[in-house]
Amino acid sequence: MHLAYPAVLAALLFCTGLYGVLARRNAILVLMSVELMLNAVNLNLVAFDVWLRDTLHSGQALTLFTIAIAAAEIGIGLAIVLAVYRNRGSSAIDRLRDAAETADAAETSDAAETGDAAGTTDAGTDGHPATAGNATAGDATAGNTKAGHTTNAEATS
C-alpha cells in the first residue's frame, strides 16, 4: 500500500476540520471539527505504523490513546456547551465572546466608581476628551464609559 493515499486523505480531513474550527459559529460544530482533526491524526498514526512495519504497533497504541482523549474531550465539551446553552439560550461562540467583553467593561466601570485610577484616562494629552479606553461622563464614543453611560455596543443596538 502506498503511503500517499492515507496521507492525502488525512490532510484533507485535517484541513476540513481546521476550516470548521476557524469558520463556524456554533460550539457543537466546532467540537465536531476538532474530532475531524483528531481522526486525521489517528489515520496518519495507523498508516505510518503499517508503512514502517512496527513490531510494537506503537502507532495503533497511540491511536487508542488519542481516541480515549477525544472521548473525554467531547464529554467535557458537550457538558460545557449544554451549561452555556441553559444559561444564555444559545451556543453561538460570538455571543459568548460578546458576553466576556461586557463583563470586562463592567469591571472597568466598577473600578472607576470605587476611585481606582489604574488604566483610566479622563482626557487626552491635548486636553480633549479621550476617545479610547475609559472616557469622561459625556463622551459616548469610547469603548468603555464611566458609571451609567452607554457604550458603543449598547448605543448602536
Side-chain angles (χ1 to χ4, degrees):
M1 171 173 89
H2 294 284
L3 184 62
Y5 299 126
V8 168
L9 179 62
L12 289 174
L13 277 175
F14 192 85
C15 289
T16 304
L18 186 64
Y19 172 75
V21 167
L22 296 177
R24 296 293 176 190
R25 302 288 186 241
N26 191 346
I28 295 175
L29 292 177
V30 170
L31 287 174
M32 288 174 59
S33 298
V34 169
E35 287 295 317
L36 272 177
M37 293 168 62
L38 288 172
N39 285 330
V41 170
N42 288 340
L43 181 61
N44 268 334
L45 285 171
V46 171
F48 277 98
D49 183 50
V50 169
W51 184 64
L52 293 173
R53 293 187 175 96
D54 188 14
T55 57
L56 295 176
H57 299 293
S58 57
Q60 293 177 17
L62 285 173
T63 297
L64 289 175
F65 182 71
T66 306
I67 290 170
I69 295 296
E73 174 255 335
I74 279 297
I76 292 172
L78 284 177
I80 291 170
V81 168
L82 285 174
V84 167
Y85 183 77
R86 285 181 184 162
N87 288 335
R88 305 256 186 224
S90 174
S91 63
I93 296 174
D94 290 339
R95 287 183 139 187
L96 296 177
R97 188 178 321 134
D98 292 340
E101 290 174 0
T102 57
D104 291 339
E107 290 174 6
T108 305
S109 178
D110 292 340
E113 288 177 6
T114 59
D116 183 16
T120 61
T121 57
D122 290 335
T125 56
D126 57 352
H128 296 294
T131 58
N134 293 331
T136 58
D139 190 8
T141 61
N144 298 327
T145 59
K146 287 188 179 178
H149 295 282
T150 61
T151 62
N152 278 344
E154 293 171 354
T156 59
S157 59

